[in-house]
Amino acid sequence: MRWVVVVVVGAVLGAGCSGPPEGARPKVFRGEVSSAIYEPIASRNVDAEPLTPGEVFPKDLVSFGAAQMKRGVPVVSGNCAEAVWGSAPLAGCSQVVRAVFSEDGVSGQFAIFNMADSAAAGLLVKAFEKGAFLKVMPGQPAVDGGSAQVRALGHFVVVSWVAPVGDERPDLTEPLLALDSVSQFVQGRLLAAE
């Protein structure tokens, strides 16, 4: 009997040493690196103002077509790694701002990473494409799959991710477009830098 206990404990401890388990991720992924349009904000050196929840999330509700996604409480953190599972190049990331959004049968998350420059932002997009991704936020239903759009916009990386909740299989096109509309605030940063 004692031998069984030792084997079980050893197996549990050994499993814990192999690193973090793979987390939830979208089934449909679209990633883009920054384009020349965002050259004026290609570096945090020229766009140094930290992000605030009021800037990123000025509205409690975002919509597109019939989709209306209601925002939860925004979270701002200087520890970018706490928002990501897997191996992701986060050196130089000064902050991540994110919030949960919901609609009947759909859970979403919008996140923006404040990277050092557009090269670092592009590397993070590629990491999300190859295996790392956002952690499910506290208060967000356990989701997996769904659709995500991840874009480098100058030195920022914006992530819009929507997934079905439970057994429902709604069309995620309009919820994803609604959630991605949050990234429009970056245009204000771009215009201020030009």
Side-chain angles (χ1 to χ4, degrees), residues 39-62:
E39 189 60 34
I41 57 170
S43 169
R44 198 168 55 233
N45 290 336
V46 296
D47 181 37
E49 196 67 30
L51 297 165
T52 65
E55 177 187 15
V56 178
F57 303 114
K59 300 176 184 175
D60 293 338
L61 191 71
V62 293

Side-chain angles (χ1 to χ4, degrees), residues 33-126:
V33 295
S34 193
S35 69
I37 293 170
Y38 294 96
E39 189 60 34
I41 57 170
S43 169
R44 198 168 55 233
N45 290 336
V46 296
D47 181 37
E49 196 67 30
L51 297 165
T52 65
E55 177 187 15
V56 178
F57 303 114
K59 300 176 184 175
D60 293 338
L61 191 71
V62 293
S63 59
F64 184 91
Q68 292 195 327
M69 303 287 288
K70 184 177 180 183
R71 178 180 52 78
V73 178
V75 175
V76 180
S77 176
N79 181 359
C80 298
E82 74 183 11
V84 176
W85 62 262
S87 179
L90 293 166
C93 181
S94 64
Q95 64 181 155
V96 58
V97 181
R98 48 189 195 141
V100 172
F101 285 77
S102 60
E103 175 182 72
D104 287 342
V106 179
S107 177
Q109 185 181 158
F110 181 90
I112 181 163
F113 293 82
N114 194 341
M115 305 299 288
D117 55 36
S118 59
L123 291 174
L124 183 56
V125 171
K126 294 297 182 188

Side-chain angles (χ1 to χ4, degrees), residues 21-27 85 131-136 141-145 161 163:
E22 182 169 293
R25 67 171 299 107
K27 288 183 181 174
W85 62 262
F133 203 66
L134 293 179
K135 289 180 181 175
V136 173
V143 294
D144 197 5
W161 177 31

